[in-house]
Amino acid sequence: MRPDSLGFCRQLFVRHLRCGVRRVEEVFNSLVFFLMVVTLFPLGIGPDSNTLRELSPGIFWVVALLSALSVSGRLFSADFEDGSLEQLAVSGHPLGLCAMAEVLAHWVLSGLTLVVAAPVFALMLNMVPAAIPTLMLSLVLGTLCLSLLGGIGAALTVGVRRGALLLSLVMIPLTVPVLIFGTSAVGEAAIGYDPSRWIALMGAFAAMGLLLAPLAIGAGLRISLEQ
Amino acid sequence: MTGVETPLLSLREVAVTRGYRALLAGINLDIKPGELWQLTGPNGSGKTSLLRAIAGLIRVGVSGTIDRPETLLFQGHAPGIKGLLTPLENLQSHPGGLIEVESDRVREALAAVGLLRCLDTPVMRLSAGQQRRVGLARLWLSRSSLWLLDEPFTAIDRQGTTLLEDKLRSHCERGGAVVFTSHQDGKFGANLNQLELADYAAR
Amino acid sequence: MWKIIHKFGSPPWFFRFATKAVQWLLPLMLIALAVGCVWGLLYAPPDFRQGNSYRIIFIHVPAAVVALAGYYVMAFAGLVSLVWKIKMADVAMRAVAPVGAALTFVALVTGAIWGKPTWGAWWVWDARITSMLILLFLYVGVVALFEAYENPEVAAKACAVLSLVGTVNIPIIYKSVDWWYSLHQPASIKFTGESAIDASMLYPLLVNIGAFYLLFAVVVMMNMRATLLETHTNAAWLREAVD
């Protein structure tokens, strides 16, 4: 940790956002992917709006989880290939903290855009409109959790060939609490209960993730650079 | 160069193994300010591994002690440059060691490597040689005294090679030290120290 | 304490220790397993509700208990490997993962077989079974990550980080699966709780849990010895120890 480490991380955050904005089609691609998968569900289970309404929290969160994991595979791969990661590792700044700048930028680009688009998808799945604010709130926290977990997975698999599938394999079991908290919150809001305990649990999970993920991500990236 | 100067970098009984396969053993080396070192050896002799071990990137399978300065400049095979950003943005927000990021200084450095006309072109539209030069511009901005360069002369034209050689020499004259790997023999003459890694191959 | 850690960290010492330990523990394990199984499967009284079908718990419960403990053993080895950089800890991690996965698998299969007469279905999304399945996924992830790396030393470090992340997460996963289950399934399906278990059933169960711990220790040590044989083929101490 050097005195200018936080400023350095702010620069990295901006750098990553700038790269993301210049490749904005990737953000759109993941939203289109989401849209397509959401479309597959009515085709698969039938158009009955009551069934869809009942299943919508689960469907939404499963798709969100899968799309979050599939995009987090890209989190460090460019940095790994173009040598930026080595530069970060020798910079003398804590690698985990540097990586958090990128994870947070990634979350802004992938997670928060999903939050903004969520009401449209929710209405397509016939979700109870009253549950939509809860859905969005739970998604803000949930996508943060998923970005942090995805960051850990990405850090561990970035140096490995065909790491994308491996990342999902390794991280899906760890995302189970996020799925349960998210679907329970939205599900309870849909039947008129107070979902705040689930949101609080998700918040606690996110807070713990923010504390511990930098350690795991930093260690993971150093291990990946050993190759 | 007096003999009593403290070395910038010192290696004591350093051995490198990769995946239970012993690569190098028994390396003792002191690099003092002003020295220019080339790591030579056939392919697979561990040049890159040793350089990465010196930089602290490889720790697993490295034994012995390596005393390195707190900050150093490392340039690997990949330049650490983002294709989506312009050379200016790249260096100003650069993930790197101790480097200067003031706009004027970055412009000067890019001018020194002959990229003044491409300041605002995304790096991915530049040629391979130009992209390497963006990475090398970091040498002009570095405030670290120890430079570790992995194959710095690849994909660079003759004029660029001369430029780089001059830069390395002047860095050493100002009390820095350079360790680089290369297949080619540069025009460094008597100032160049060589470490032949084939001599340290582990049995 | 340090002396012990360093002794275990030295491959020659560990190899000799494991060879001896397996010699003693293997017969002990076989006896315990035989006693536990014969006692449990033949002499323990039948359950008043489930009849004889409950007897599968003498395999199911020990496998499940040791499988979960195995994950913590693996994570502890990972911590030792990351903090003290002891190579034997890497070897231990690598040895534990497949054994733990196999025990989890046994627990799941016996759970399914038990489920058929008890619930009338091979697979029920019961909280405990679901948690077991997720534990299996966690093990599979560690094994897959290990296999993906080319350099086994680096692979061990990566798996160490992953298993530590898993360790932090396991209590949360278990708790959240519990909540999930109680949310969706009002507590109508409940089988005889372990708290109500009679001593005549408990003792053979405890014997078998002990036997499974021994089984785990023996298999892991044999596995570690195999890894050492593979990676130190040319070492002089190994030739000496084998001859």
Side-chain angles (χ1 to χ4, degrees), chain B residues 87-129:
Chain B
L88 203 60
E89 288 168 337
N90 255 306
L91 292 176
Q92 279 190 293
S93 68
H94 205 281
L98 204 55
I99 67 168
E100 302 186 38
V101 291
E102 297 85 44
S103 175
D104 290 344
R105 294 281 296 119
V106 174
R107 268 172 220 277
E108 276 171 37
L110 285 168
V113 293
L115 288 174
L116 200 51
R117 276 181 300 155
C118 337
L119 286 182
D120 297 318
T121 318
V123 168
M124 60 184 175
R125 301 223 191 94
L126 302 179
S127 74

Side-chain angles (χ1 to χ4, degrees), chain B residues 13-200:
Chain B
E13 288 301 320
V14 168
V16 180
T17 57
R18 300 309 286 154
Y20 299 122
R21 192 172 64 93
L23 211 56
L24 297 164
I27 300 178
N28 288 294
L29 183 65
D30 281 316
I31 295 182
K32 297 185 190 73
E35 287 184 346
L36 182 63
W37 282 82
Q38 180 182 15
L39 306 180
T40 59
N43 290 336
S45 59
K47 296 190 292 291
T48 297
S49 293
L50 181 59
L51 202 67
R52 289 173 76 86
I54 293 175
L57 287 169
I58 296 182
R59 289 168 199 266
V60 175
V62 178
S63 58
T65 48
I66 301 178
D67 279 323
R68 60 177 81 80
E70 216 161 88
T71 59
L72 48 80
L73 181 141
F74 174 84
Q75 187 84 71
H77 285 278
I81 296 293
K82 290 262 172 246
L84 290 165
L85 303 178
T86 68
L88 203 60
E89 288 168 337
N90 255 306
L91 292 176
Q92 279 190 293
S93 68
H94 205 281
L98 204 55
I99 67 168
E100 302 186 38
V101 291
E102 297 85 44
S103 175
D104 290 344
R105 294 281 296 119
V106 174
R107 268 172 220 277
E108 276 171 37
L110 285 168
V113 293
L115 288 174
L116 200 51
R117 276 181 300 155
C118 337
L119 286 182
D120 297 318
T121 318
V123 168
M124 60 184 175
R125 301 223 191 94
L126 302 179
S127 74
Q130 284 174 314
Q131 295 190 7
R132 271 214 74 95
R133 282 169 180 239
V134 179
L136 290 174
R138 209 175 298 143
L139 301 185
W140 274 258
L141 298 167
S142 170
R143 279 181 283 168
S144 309
S145 45
L146 179 65
W147 291 359
L148 306 172
L149 310 171
D150 199 2
E151 302 286 351
F153 295 105
T154 43
I156 289 205
D157 57 17
R158 196 179 303 154
Q159 180 228 344
T161 307
T162 316
L163 189 72
L164 182 55
E165 284 172 353
D166 289 344
K167 184 65 192 168
L168 299 190
R169 211 176 291 130
S170 75
H171 178 63
C172 289
E173 277 159 14
R174 279 187 290 147
V178 179
V179 185
F180 69 101
T181 64
S182 179
H183 296 297
Q184 301 137 288
D185 286 325
K187 298 188 274 306
F188 294 110
N191 294 325
L192 183 66
N193 306 284
Q194 286 185 321
L195 188 74
E196 172 58 48
L197 293 188
D199 301 342
Y200 295 94

Side-chain angles (χ1 to χ4, degrees), chain A residues 149 152 156-157 160-161 166 169-170 173-174 176-177 180-181 184 188 198 201 205 208 212 216 219 223-224 226-227, chain C residues 82 134 137-138 140-141 144-145 148-151 154 157-158 161-162 165-166 168-169 172-173 176-177 179-180 183:
Chain A
L149 286 169
I152 296 173
L156 287 170
T157 56
V160 170
R161 252 171 283 135
L166 186 66
L169 198 68
V170 164
L174 297 174
V176 165
I180 290 175
F181 298 155
S184 305
E188 297 212 334
W198 299 109
L201 282 169
F205 196 77
M208 194 185 74
L212 296 181
I223 289 162
S224 287
E226 294 267 357
Q227 294 280 52
Chain C
L82 286 179
I134 294 168
F137 293 161
L138 287 171
V140 168
L145 190 66
Y149 276 84
E150 274 161 32
N151 183 338
V154 180
K157 303 279 177 233
V161 173
L162 180 63
V165 174
V168 174
N169 225 325
I172 306 172
I173 294 176
S176 64
V177 169
W179 286 327
W180 159 80
L183 191 70

